Amino acid sequence: MAGVLGPDGFPRPRLPQTATCLSEVSAPKTCGLIGGLSGVRLSAGAMTANWVGFAGNYASYDAVRWRLPLALQA
């Protein structure tokens, strides 16, 4: 469910289907909450990635520009 192979043979994420699947398998009382939290987590991850890129753009030491994002991924 995490991904499928694209036409070039590399895995492609299936993020839009993840929220739907989580809502389908959860209890009726919490299905909206689970789907909403999935969207919030995706948005927070994109926002964090953008801020890391923005901060790296203004780094005074050139190696920090590419080392900081790699360090945060590990």
Side-chain angles (χ1 to χ4, degrees):
M1 185 173 107
V4 295
L5 293 179
D8 55 359
F10 291 105
R12 299 285 181 241
R14 295 176 52 190
L15 296 177
Q17 290 89 0
T18 304
T20 304
C21 182
L22 287 173
S23 295
E24 290 290 331
V25 298
S26 63
K29 185 176 180 180
T30 60
C31 66
L33 177 68
I34 299 292
L37 284 178
S38 176
V40 168
R41 286 191 308 254
L42 286 172
S43 298
M47 182 184 70
T48 303
N50 284 322
W51 277 111
V52 167
F54 180 74
N57 192 30
Y58 290 102
S60 59
Y61 182 57
D62 288 335
V64 173
R65 293 181 184 208
W66 62 272
R67 287 184 180 174
L68 179 65
L70 285 177
L72 291 176
Q73 287 179 12

